Amino acid sequence: MRNNNPNISLVKGCGWVKEKECGAGKDRKWQYADPHGLYAQLLKDSILPYPIENFGRFNQDSRLTCLSIALALYDAGVAYSKGNKQDIGILGTSPDGALNANLAYFKDYVDAGRKLGRGNLFIYTLPSSPLAEAAINFGLQGPLLYMRYLEKPQENLLAQAELMIKNKETRAILAVIFDTEETRCYYLSGVKTR
């Protein structure tokens, strides 16, 4: 990585979700009881302009990734609509990859007598699955990439996003950091959004 000090001026919006609290940018915060309640509230407030297809079957990482992206797009003032595709990439990182999803799938496989596991658990055994679900829902057609960093994941992910924008691989990128404590999404772009 050539630069571990990303140009923060490219960050146009931020959304975050942690247990019982979420926010957009520095000033807007909401309290919630569970991810389904937060999802319903974001729909009611038109932060999510339409329902996320199959949200109920998503694993926890996919739910939180989509909700944090919706908050980041809202904070950046980026509109999206169903069926409208945009040249926005999505990068993601997490400290454990898809370990929890793999453990859930293997437990289900063992509980089923080691004959088969449920397909709705299997699709989340790749660490890029939450990013793919988000790309489908939000109409993102830019690059999609999962990267795992051993050190400074946020700084390295933002530096990678900046590099991709400067190399004109995409006009904008959503950089998502998901872990057990908090899921954060940054919207980066070299173009003004408001």
Side-chain angles (χ1 to χ4, degrees), residues 6 9 13-15 21 37 40 56 61 64 66 68 82 90 114 122 131-132 139 149 153 164 176 194:
S9 68
C14 177
E21 186 177 65
D61 286 343
L64 297 178
C66 284
S68 68
K82 197 169 191 114
I90 182 168
R114 293 183 181 246
F122 177 73
L131 307 175
Y149 298 101
M164 292 174 76
V176 182
R194 293 185 193 240

Side-chain angles (χ1 to χ4, degrees), residues 71-145:
L71 290 162
L73 291 172
Y74 170 75
D75 187 45
V78 175
Y80 63 94
S81 59
K82 197 169 191 114
N84 183 28
K85 307 294 184 202
Q86 298 189 62
D87 179 22
I88 299 174
I90 182 168
L91 301 177
T93 191
S94 65
D96 297 323
L99 178 63
N100 289 333
N102 277 279
L103 291 172
Y105 176 71
F106 188 71
K107 181 182 180 322
D108 184 65
Y109 171 74
V110 169
D111 291 348
R114 293 183 181 246
K115 298 209 186 284
L116 62 109
R118 288 182 282 173
N120 66 320
L121 295 176
F122 177 73
I123 62 174
Y124 298 108
T125 59
L126 294 174
S128 59
S129 293
L131 307 175
E133 293 285 14
I136 292 165
N137 178 70
F138 295 100
L140 309 175
Q141 288 193 314
L144 184 147
L145 184 63

Side-chain angles (χ1 to χ4, degrees), residues 28-49:
R28 293 171 284 216
K29 292 182 183 178
W30 296 270
Q31 304 293 318
Y32 69 94
D34 60 67
H36 287 287
L38 173 58
Y39 171 68
Q41 185 64 43
L42 295 182
L43 279 170
K44 182 180 171 214
D45 293 344
S46 297
I47 293 170
L48 280 168

